[in-house]
């Protein structure tokens, strides 16, 4: 993937072109997750996606352009899930419990881990110029928690003493660290304990029964 041609933007492609590009990105994400960035090569990707070398080079002329697309694809999946209406913007403790319960109850969670976290661990070992985009994906993820906690404050569910930015870091770190330890142990307990501890800490700031039935602080 070494050319000077810029990768075409998705909106500049025909519907067929967008479908081909999306297929390449999806298979690239699967291969990178399974094999790592360096161990994923053009031949593997061509076979998996069913495209020619010229097609692959047309859509992704450099490895960086491909990895950027994979970051965007993985981030979109994670962010879309966290923005689902079932979590009501994370503006109450019950929504956070439901989020934690989903991952703790997902039978393959400790086998699959976090796709975006796994991608990050691969990319930070490379010299690819994609770190800003990866950091932006995590910033958006953390922002979902921060905005939810800020709404909890505005609704009077937690006290003004709570620091939404700090708590958002806590929830994301608890998830990432707990998931990694769960993978190592092949046991969901580390993730369960880490998320519960984060929720318990947030609960100490509860100010009213509106905080989903939590005792007032």
């Amino acid at each position: 993937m070494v050319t000077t041609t810029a990768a075409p933007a998705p909106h500049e492609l025909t519907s067929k072109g967008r479908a081909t590009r999306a297929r390449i990105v999806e298979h690239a994400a699967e291969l990178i997750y399974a094999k790592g960035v360096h161990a994923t090569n053009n031949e593997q990707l061509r076979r998996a996606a069913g495209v020619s070398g010229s097609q692959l080079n047309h859509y992704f002329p450099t490895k960086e352009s491909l990895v950027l697309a994979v970051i965007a694809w993985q981030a979109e999946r994670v962010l879309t899930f966290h923005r689902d209406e079932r979590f009501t913007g994370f503006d109450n403790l019950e929504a956070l419990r439901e989020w934690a319960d989903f991952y703790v109850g997902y039978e393959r969670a400790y086998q699959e881990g976090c796709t975006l976290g796994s991608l990050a661990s691969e990319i930070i070992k490379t010299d690819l110029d994609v770190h800003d985009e990866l950091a932006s994906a995590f910033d958006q993820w953390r922002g979902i928690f921060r905005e939810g906690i800020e709404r909890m404050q505005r609704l009077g569910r937690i006290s003004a003493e709570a620091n939404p930015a700090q708590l958002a870091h806590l929830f994301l770190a608890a998830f990432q660290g707990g998931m990694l330890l769960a993978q190592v142990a092949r046991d969901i307990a580390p993730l369960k304990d880490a998320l519960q501890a984060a929720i318990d800490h947030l609960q100490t700031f509860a100010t009213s029964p509106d905080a989903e039935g939590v005792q007032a602080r």
Side-chain angles (χ1 to χ4, degrees), residues 58-122:
H58 171 68
Y59 294 109
F60 301 105
T62 67
K63 192 150 194 175
E64 284 182 358
S65 64
L66 177 63
V67 172
L68 284 171
V70 169
I71 291 172
W73 187 81
Q74 293 285 23
E76 182 61 25
R77 294 177 70 206
V78 169
L79 296 174
T80 297
F81 173 76
H82 282 74
R83 288 168 177 154
D84 189 276
E85 61 183 13
R86 82 181 87 173
F87 302 127
T88 61
F90 292 103
D91 64 5
N92 60 75
L93 283 162
E94 190 56 37
L96 286 162
R97 291 192 188 99
E98 185 170 348
W99 166 73
D101 288 346
F102 171 83
Y103 282 106
V104 171
Y106 181 48
E107 61 183 14
R108 297 201 307 275
Y110 69 78
Q111 296 171 322
E112 297 179 358
C114 172
T115 53
L116 191 56
S118 296
L119 181 61
S121 68
E122 279 291 325

Side-chain angles (χ1 to χ4, degrees), residues 1-2 20 23-25 27-28 31 40-60 66:
M1 294 187 190
V2 181
T20 300
R23 189 169 71 252
I24 293 171
V25 173
H27 284 287
L31 285 169
T40 297
N41 59 48
N42 286 7
E43 182 58 30
Q44 293 167 341
L45 185 51
R46 285 199 298 267
R47 289 199 305 267
V51 297
S52 66
S54 60
Q55 283 178 302
L56 182 57
N57 285 326
H58 171 68
Y59 294 109
F60 301 105
L66 177 63

Side-chain angles (χ1 to χ4, degrees), residues 110-111 177-191:
Y110 69 78
Q111 296 171 322
M179 186 66 83
L180 176 60
L181 291 176
Q183 285 184 281
V184 172
R186 300 190 66 78
D187 183 344
I188 203 65
L191 177 63

Side-chain angles (χ1 to χ4, degrees), residues 118-137:
S118 296
L119 181 61
S121 68
E122 279 291 325
I123 291 175
I124 60 176
K125 304 172 189 174
T126 74
D127 58 359
L128 296 173
D129 186 19
V130 297
H131 290 71
D132 288 348
E133 288 75 11
L134 185 62
S136 175

